[in-house]
Amino acid sequence: MIYMDKIVILGGKNLKGVVEISGSKNAVLPIMACALLAEGQYHLKSVPHLRDVRTMVKLLNSIGLTVQFNENEVHIESGHVAHYEAPYDLVKTMRASIYVLGPMLSRFGEAKVSLPGGCAWGPRPVNLHIQGLEQLGAKITIENGYIHAKAKRLKGARILFNMPSVGATGNLLMAAVLAKGTTVLENAAQEPEITALAEFLVQMGARIDGIGTSHLEIEGVDSLRPASTAIIPDRIEAGTFLAVGHIVGGDILIKNVIPDHVSKITEKLIEAGAEITEDSDQIHIKSNGVSKPVDIATAVFPGFPTDMQAQWMALMSTAKGSSVITENIYLDRFTHVAELQRLGADIRLDHNVALVKGVKNLNGAPVMSTDLRASASLIMAGLIAKGRTDISRVYHIDRGYEQIEAKLKNLGAEIWREKEPLVT
Ligand code: UD1
């Protein structure tokens, strides 16, 4: 018999206290891939203990790097590379594995990376990564489910993205730093994780102008050197705990957060009636648990993040009135709707727009976690639902939230993990 973890919550507890935010998953993954760009020792601090980070460790180890991950620190010894391949078994469990494509190709002239495939909520193409690398001179073929890229030395080019993509911007940055000549990335992603990546590359000796903007200019260099850094706080984890604070009517001090990275979320929470005060690296949220209905539409940074859409829907499910939630980044990202409905939420979905009518209360039920952020929204709903909520398949949450039950328990939630047999 195969067993899987589920999370059980007894709703209705008030949460109070301090929570420390972990390092950002989406920042550390590309930074780890940078170790493919130069030989030597890398030391990363504030690395979250997450399944995705462990997958990246396995991936780099399988390529031939020596990676150790202990106590929120990653040490990488980048030397001999065994082969230039990211196999399907690893890539299928984590799309961010595609981040090895750009640096591996740029440094070694060859890379073979499994096509990542779709997500629970729909297709997630990688055409911008491939087209961009082709513009830098790579010859790319797709065979047997693998992207096979070759280039003697990449050559700088002007690349205009038809939409800003975090992954494609990161991959092309890591490819362009060792290319010959200048690369211009137009309509590039401006997410804080891209800024953190660009700053790390500069520490390695890369020449990049326009960091933090949508126009990045990279002057290729012949070689880079290893670097070390502390990973920025996870803005989505911080945003989730802020939303938790409002939904439960709590009093929570969130530590290790960069307020500018979550400003759209705090702005919306204030509109929704929460009391928020900020310091340089902490945010205090106090709420009476009554949320006003507030519409959101997801957008690229600094807009409202798609990675907070599901949590906002949980919050709005008991708001005093109706709100409209529009998903503009991943039009099908709504697998949480049916699960929130099982808990009593009143949500009508029309393409990428959800109309949420606030109900008086939610009621505990067995629900299924379908992806990382959907799981967070179900935990939020479970925290206020009457009675017991059992959330199955929580391996999704372990991809992106470090010790979520321990952190919530510490704030006063009644939440624990149980094993349940996997029924297929
Ligand atoms: C990253 C984040 C993810 C977040 C997303 C949007 C990581 C590891 N993951 O994902 O948590 O939800 O940004 O903020 O950092 N697109 C294309 N072609 C491409 C690439 C993307 O059409 O080649 C489209 C996507 O379908 C989507 C949009 O561009 O509509 C943005 O996606 P992108 O920013 O690339 O997301 P990821 O980097 O995969």
Side-chain angles (χ1 to χ4, degrees):
M1 182 88 76
I2 300 174
Y3 287 87
M4 286 187 126
D5 283 2
K6 70 173 176 180
I7 284 180
V8 183
I9 304 174
L10 288 184
K13 297 282 175 290
N14 196 316
L15 305 193
K16 208 171 158 52
V18 179
V19 65
E20 180 96 19
I21 299 304
S22 302
S24 159
K25 163 178 96 69
N26 289 352
V28 73
L29 296 174
I31 285 176
M32 287 172 76
C34 287
L36 289 161
L37 288 166
E39 262 187 45
Q41 310 262 359
Y42 298 72
H43 180 198
L44 308 177
K45 287 192 201 164
S46 305
V47 178
H49 262 282
L50 298 171
R51 197 154 65 90
D52 276 9
V53 179
R54 290 193 290 273
T55 304
M56 188 56 99
V57 170
K58 278 191 210 156
L59 179 54
L60 294 178
N61 275 332
S62 83
I63 292 170
L65 278 56
T66 307
V67 189
Q68 276 163 2
F69 184 17
N70 301 309
E71 308 265 325
N72 296 105
E73 297 199 4
V74 165
H75 288 266
I76 305 177
E77 162 104 48
S78 179
H80 171 72
V81 167
H83 49 92
Y84 314 122
E85 185 174 323
Y88 176 65
D89 280 354
L90 291 173
V91 179
K92 73 174 184 207
T93 65
M94 183 182 73
R95 286 180 46 84
S97 309
I98 188 98
Y99 272 134
V100 300
L101 178 62
M104 198 145 68
L105 172 66
S106 193
R107 166 116 178 271
F108 304 108
E110 185 169 0
K112 210 175 152 192
V113 176
S114 168
L115 274 169
C119 263
W121 73 76
R124 290 180 72 181
V126 287
N127 58 310
L128 298 175
H129 302 238
I130 292 174
Q131 283 159 17
L133 291 173
E134 281 175 340
Q135 281 176 273
L136 295 182
K139 291 269 168 293
I140 300 191
T141 49
I142 311 277
E143 270 167 26
N144 309 112
Y146 276 78
I147 306 166
H148 194 173
K150 281 187 172 178
K152 256 211 170 100
R153 183 168 180 193
L154 295 173
K155 286 198 190 71
R158 180 178 169 273
I159 295 166
L160 170 63
F161 294 114
N162 61 9
M163 65 171 84
S165 154
V166 175
T169 303
N171 233 334
L172 287 164
L173 256 178
M174 289 188 277
V177 286
L178 285 179
K180 192 169 169 55
T182 307
T183 298
V184 179
L185 301 180
E186 306 256 32
N187 199 22
Q190 302 175 62
E191 269 62 9
E193 296 76 23
I194 291 294
T195 299
L197 169 64
E199 282 169 354
F200 189 72
L201 288 167
V202 167
Q203 246 186 285
M204 291 178 69
R207 298 211 192 118
I208 306 173
D209 270 349
I211 294 177
T213 75
S214 61
H215 179 102
L216 295 167
E217 274 193 46
I218 305 115
E219 184 70 45
V221 294
D222 290 337
S223 64
L224 295 163
R225 52 180 180 269
S228 295
T229 195
I231 303 302
I232 57 169
D234 195 308
R235 65 193 166 100
I236 303 301
E237 189 197 8
T240 302
F241 275 99
L242 282 165
V244 163
H246 195 26
I247 201 170
V248 302
D251 183 344
I252 304 178
L253 180 64
I254 295 164
K255 287 195 165 178
N256 190 35
V257 52
I258 298 171
D260 277 354
H261 290 180
V262 291
S263 58
K264 196 71 191 175
I265 301 164
T266 46
E267 180 192 313
K268 290 287 175 183
L269 283 166
I270 291 167
E271 243 184 90
E275 237 179 86
I276 288 183
T277 44
E278 292 178 1
D279 233 325
S280 60
D281 63 351
Q282 55 187 38
I283 302 180
H284 180 210
I285 178 158
K286 213 172 155 194
S287 158
N288 60 6
V290 180
S291 186
K292 291 181 201 159
V294 175
D295 300 347
I296 58 119
T298 63
V300 296
F301 188 81
F304 194 93
T306 173
D307 285 349
M308 278 296 297
Q309 180 256 106
Q311 298 89 314
W312 195 261
M313 195 177 290
L315 178 63
M316 288 299 109
S317 67
T318 54
K320 291 256 171 266
S322 298
S323 57
V324 177
I325 294 181
T326 309
E327 175 56 63
N328 292 316
I329 307 292
Y330 293 113
L331 304 184
D332 298 329
R333 191 175 199 176
F334 287 110
T335 54
H336 43 285
V337 169
E339 303 302 310
L340 289 171
Q341 284 167 336
R342 288 180 55 72
L343 297 170
D346 181 347
I347 304 166
R348 240 188 25 232
L349 194 57
D350 183 6
H351 295 97
N352 64 326
V353 180
L355 174 69
V356 187
K357 278 192 191 160
V359 293
K360 212 154 177 236
N361 48 263
L362 299 177
N363 291 300
V367 288
M368 178 119 58
S369 158
T370 48
D371 77 63
L372 170 55
R373 306 304 168 186
S375 316
S377 79
L378 294 175
I379 288 181
M380 282 177 59
L383 288 171
I384 53 154
K386 286 197 164 158
R388 172 176 166 139
T389 298
D390 291 54
I391 308 172
S392 306
R393 307 205 170 195
V394 291
Y395 55 87
H396 290 289
I397 202 124
D398 297 330
R399 284 191 39 226
Y401 288 90
E402 188 178 45
Q403 300 204 353
I404 187 146
E405 316 97 271
K407 288 186 184 184
L408 286 168
K409 205 182 266 180
N410 199 34
L411 293 170
E414 218 167 316
I415 180 170
W416 66 93
R417 224 170 247 247
E418 283 182 9
K419 297 265 178 227
E420 65 176 352
L422 172 67
V423 183
T424 48

